[in-house]
Amino acid sequence: MIYLDSAATTKVFPEVLDNLKKIHQEYYANPNSIHPDGQKSRRAIDEVRRFFSQIAGAQEEEIIFTSCATESNNTVIKGLYEAFPEKNHVIVSPIEHKSVLSPLRYLSKKGVKVDFLNVDKNGIVDIDEIRKKITPKTLFVGIIHVNNETGVIQDLEEIGKLCREKDVLFFSDVVQSFGKINVPFDYLDFFSVSGHKINAPKGVGLLKRKKEVSVVPLLHGGGQEFGLRSGTENTSGIVSLKIAAEKWLQIREGFLEKSRKLENMLTFRLKSEIPEIKVVSEGFKVPYITTVLFPGVDGHSMVIALGRRGIAVSSGSACSTGSPLPSHVLLSYGFSEKDALSGVRFSFGFDTTEEDVETAVKETVEVYKKLLSFSGFS
Ligand code: PLP
């Protein structure tokens, strides 16, 4: 399989895999136990917390380990709502991940006004619109950093400055940017990270919270993670998260350079074979996530046909694959339903090669032409 679906999930780094057995053996004990082996696990977690707090310019108590970014996002959204019931207004982009949109839908049923911003044809939010929408009742502004479908990057620094000026909490889902591009951590009160998007195993995530701000926990129990996330810590996942993040710090410049080359190859070659395609957010996105619209065909059918030829890609977000609905992200850009259904996402990982992209282009062109001839458009 040529794997061009790293935005959905990543392969665990060999360095992480090689260490997993050792980590499970060394840190098997419950970090909440006071005997020496328990304290050894505790120290391992503390060290990882220190590492991430330094990266984020945060206090150690502001780093909370969770099970995934979905949990981190839910904790922020529902937890702030519970803590500040008098604030009944939230401002978000329309291109958030479902793990942000779904808890917001829950909040809207409780009477919170969820104010969706517009995005332009490239998927960018307008900072002036945020400025106009902020009121004394605004609980938080939530803007995804890099969108998981199109790779579009938002200017978190400018939005963060505005939120600070207006004294409103700012939250960002940095799942697709963390480790890979610069994240303006200084401006974020809350952010969420997922282990399996940075080549750590599934089952571990991180939430950075602002210590002075109350958040009601989702899980009540033993009071781990400073009372915000009860449940015995996933020590092996947490230690693996650090190994994976360290590796990204080492490779990220090279990865970005390689991704730019691969992105150029992908889009240039596809355009020269199929001039009518559209690269979404071109010029405004990270190079490692690219959604291409293939007019006249169904992106879902292309993904299935490519899968049969050994190419793993996605249509829309992987989480909604199987759903016949057009992507909410592409609809927000103003694309028609038909265009939004024609999207295929190619996303690169640390080990993607030029040969992978060459083969993917060749197969994609063949599949497109075949599907187009079936659909009666050609
Ligand atoms: N946010 C974004 C931008 C994502 O791409 C994903 C995963 O697809 C998530 C959140 C959810 O992450 P997790 O699978 O860790 O819950």
Side-chain angles (χ1 to χ4, degrees):
M1 203 84 197
I2 291 178
Y3 189 69
L4 298 181
D5 201 20
S6 286
T9 196
T10 58
K11 298 175 191 170
V12 175
F13 275 139
E15 292 82 347
V16 174
L17 268 183
D18 290 349
N19 269 298
L20 266 179
K21 187 172 171 196
K22 197 171 127 231
I23 296 169
H24 276 286
Q25 283 169 337
E26 281 199 23
Y27 307 121
Y28 73 94
N30 192 322
N32 305 295
S33 300
I34 55 172
H35 50 66
D37 278 6
Q39 289 308 293
K40 192 169 160 191
S41 300
R42 170 58 58 209
R43 281 194 299 277
I45 293 174
D46 286 348
E47 191 191 319
V48 180
R49 201 185 307 281
R50 202 167 312 122
F51 169 80
F52 283 105
S53 70
Q54 281 162 2
I55 285 186
Q59 297 175 43
E60 286 171 36
E61 270 180 67
E62 296 185 310
I63 302 296
I64 307 296
F65 296 112
T66 63
S67 66
C68 59
T70 298
E71 184 192 336
S72 303
N73 289 340
N74 273 263
T75 302
V76 176
I77 296 167
K78 291 182 168 177
L80 284 176
Y81 160 73
E82 295 269 1
F84 300 96
E86 72 285 2
K87 299 232 177 192
N88 60 1
H89 178 230
V90 167
I91 300 171
V92 284
S93 90
I95 60 169
E96 296 300 309
H97 188 264
K98 284 188 174 160
S99 56
V100 169
L101 294 178
S102 297
L104 285 173
R105 196 170 308 126
Y106 173 82
L107 256 55
S108 72
K109 286 189 187 136
K110 304 262 175 195
V112 173
K113 180 174 181 236
V114 180
D115 226 337
F116 286 103
L117 298 161
N118 292 301
V119 292
D120 68 13
K121 63 180 194 328
N122 294 308
I124 311 276
V125 299
D126 175 4
I127 296 180
D128 280 334
E129 193 188 0
I130 304 177
R131 184 186 300 280
K132 283 181 200 138
K133 287 197 152 136
I134 291 174
T135 78
K137 291 279 189 187
T138 306
L139 180 61
F140 65 84
V141 172
I143 309 284
I144 188 168
H145 191 199
V146 166
N147 178 265
N148 49 298
E149 288 185 42
T150 65
V152 65
I153 310 167
Q154 307 294 338
D155 189 346
L156 294 192
E157 191 168 326
E158 285 308 309
I159 303 169
K161 281 181 190 161
L162 170 67
C163 290
R164 202 160 281 179
E165 176 196 320
K166 298 276 187 187
D167 201 19
V168 172
L169 296 172
F170 184 31
F171 154 60
S172 182
D173 172 336
V174 304
V175 164
Q176 297 288 353
S177 57
F178 188 85
K180 297 168 189 165
I181 64 167
N182 274 334
V183 177
F185 294 115
D186 286 353
Y187 294 96
L188 305 180
D189 298 313
F190 294 87
F191 68 78
S192 49
V193 171
S194 171
H196 74 98
K197 307 286 181 172
I198 59 163
N199 309 83
K202 288 154 191 68
V204 63
L206 182 152
L207 166 65
K208 186 268 174 185
R209 54 110 179 221
K210 186 171 175 163
K211 202 177 116 195
E212 302 75 39
V213 178
S214 307
V215 176
V216 175
L218 290 182
L219 303 179
H220 299 267
Q224 289 91 342
E225 297 297 299
F226 312 103
L228 190 50
R229 204 285 177 178
S230 286
T232 302
E233 295 87 341
N234 172 5
T235 313
S236 69
I238 293 168
V239 174
S240 299
L241 190 65
K242 175 169 178 268
I243 300 173
E246 280 172 333
K247 174 87 178 165
W248 271 109
L249 284 176
Q250 288 164 18
I251 67 169
R252 84 179 198 179
E253 287 311 319
F255 171 73
L256 282 174
E257 202 181 306
K258 178 187 80 172
S259 295
R260 271 182 224 115
K261 227 167 155 183
L262 296 179
E263 178 198 34
N264 275 339
M265 245 179 93
L266 175 77
T267 57
F268 180 80
R269 293 196 186 175
L270 282 176
K271 280 179 191 169
S272 61
E273 294 279 348
I274 320 169
E276 54 279 23
I277 61 161
K278 159 115 187 106
V279 178
V280 181
S281 293
E282 196 167 23
F284 297 88
K285 65 178 200 65
V286 291
Y288 50 88
I289 301 177
T290 304
T291 282
V292 180
L293 306 185
F294 292 91
V297 302
D298 167 32
H300 197 67
S301 307
M302 284 197 63
V303 171
I304 293 169
L306 284 167
R308 288 202 188 109
R309 290 169 178 239
I311 315 285
V313 289
S314 282
S315 68
S317 85
C319 307
S320 55
T321 297
S323 138
L325 297 171
S327 135
H328 70 277
V329 173
L330 297 179
L331 289 180
S332 305
Y333 279 57
F335 290 117
S336 67
E337 283 209 3
K338 197 155 168 264
D339 281 346
L341 282 167
S342 73
V344 176
R345 179 184 69 186
F346 302 83
S347 51
F348 308 142
F350 75 98
D351 60 350
T352 307
T353 63
E354 288 190 16
E355 294 74 56
D356 291 342
V357 174
E358 252 168 43
T359 311
V361 169
K362 180 179 146 287
E363 297 292 345
T364 304
V365 172
E366 280 181 25
V367 162
Y368 174 72
K369 291 189 172 161
K370 213 169 191 170
L371 287 176
L372 198 61
S373 69
F374 292 153
S375 71
F377 277 87
S378 67

